[in-house]
Amino acid sequence: MKIQATGRIRVATEQDRDAIPAVHMNAFGEDEGPVIVKLVDEMLDDASGKPMLSLVADTDDGLIGHLLFTSVRIEPDDSTVSARILAPLAVVQNRQRQGIGGRLIQAGLSQLADSGVDLVFVLGYPDYYFRFGFKPAGIQGLQATYPIPPQNADAWMVAELTPGTIENCEGTIRCSKALDHPKYWIE
């Protein structure tokens, strides 16, 4: 049986719901996996994170990657800005470093831009996310839900999908109820 080298990127369906936790468990391992699996499950059921975009990478052998974008709001309330947060991203261990995560991110940012989303936030590795257009958010007046230590400030990032949005907004990002816990904001 031929396995596609990179996998297909598509919007997740309800039929993928049982396979998505296995992707995160494999990607994050026994230490972090159970926490991430529980978070993803809660986020997928959390109405406060909608609208959301859930993408998967799959091959003929099953899912090999998953990426979730959920809605956020900026306080003080700026209801004119449409924003999402990218969290979490997972690619099974034996398929990492093959560009699958990057393809998931690019597909997601493209779909979000097409749907009118202005900003996308992420808490992650700057060296990885900078290549997708993410830049430090805190220095631009957009603060994380919970404080990020100064030595990790660059890990809190934003990508501007609608040019000119950042210069016209500032505040603190408020996420879905499932993601609104300090333990998820440690980088």
Side-chain angles (χ1 to χ4, degrees):
M1 181 183 310
K2 184 180 177 197
I3 297 175
Q4 285 193 342
T6 57
R8 297 173 290 267
I9 306 298
R10 61 177 175 77
V11 173
T13 66
E14 194 57 41
Q15 288 74 29
D16 297 317
R17 183 70 187 258
D18 291 338
I20 288 171
V23 171
H24 289 276
M25 190 62 144
N26 181 292
F28 289 98
E30 292 298 320
D31 289 341
E32 293 181 82
V35 172
I36 301 298
V37 166
K38 184 176 187 285
L39 172 63
V40 170
D41 196 46
E42 290 174 1
M43 289 175 73
L44 289 170
D45 289 334
D46 187 349
S48 69
K50 293 183 178 169
M52 66 178 64
L53 175 61
S54 180
L55 296 176
V56 294
D58 74 358
T59 65
D60 293 338
D61 292 335
L63 297 188
I64 58 171
H66 178 247
L67 173 59
L68 186 60
F69 294 92
T70 53
S71 291
V72 297
R73 63 188 191 287
I74 301 170
E75 290 182 351
D77 186 25
D78 188 347
S79 57
T80 62
V81 175
S82 176
R84 303 290 184 274
I85 190 165
L86 183 167
L89 166 64
V91 175
V92 295
Q93 291 182 19
N94 69 346
R95 299 305 295 269
Q96 292 176 1
R97 295 173 186 48
Q98 297 177 19
I100 296 164
R103 288 183 57 230
L104 282 163
I105 293 168
Q106 290 170 330
L109 294 177
S110 176
Q111 288 185 41
L112 291 171
D114 290 348
S115 71
V117 171
D118 302 306
L119 302 175
V120 176
F121 295 90
V122 69
L123 179 61
Y125 297 104
D127 291 345
Y128 182 73
Y129 287 101
F130 281 172
R131 67 181 96 162
F132 303 105
F134 286 89
K135 298 177 178 149
I139 62 171
Q140 298 184 68
L142 296 162
Q143 303 306 313
T145 301
Y146 292 93
I148 305 298
Q151 68 271 23
N152 296 330
D154 285 353
W156 174 240
M157 296 169 275
V158 62
E160 185 177 50
L161 304 182
T162 304
T165 303
I166 289 176
E167 61 195 44
N168 295 312
C169 69
E170 65 180 10
T172 301
I173 307 314
R174 297 294 175 207
C175 299
S176 66
K177 292 175 185 162
L179 195 54
D180 189 7
H181 191 284
K183 69 182 176 183
Y184 302 127
W185 294 88
I186 299 167
E187 184 55 42

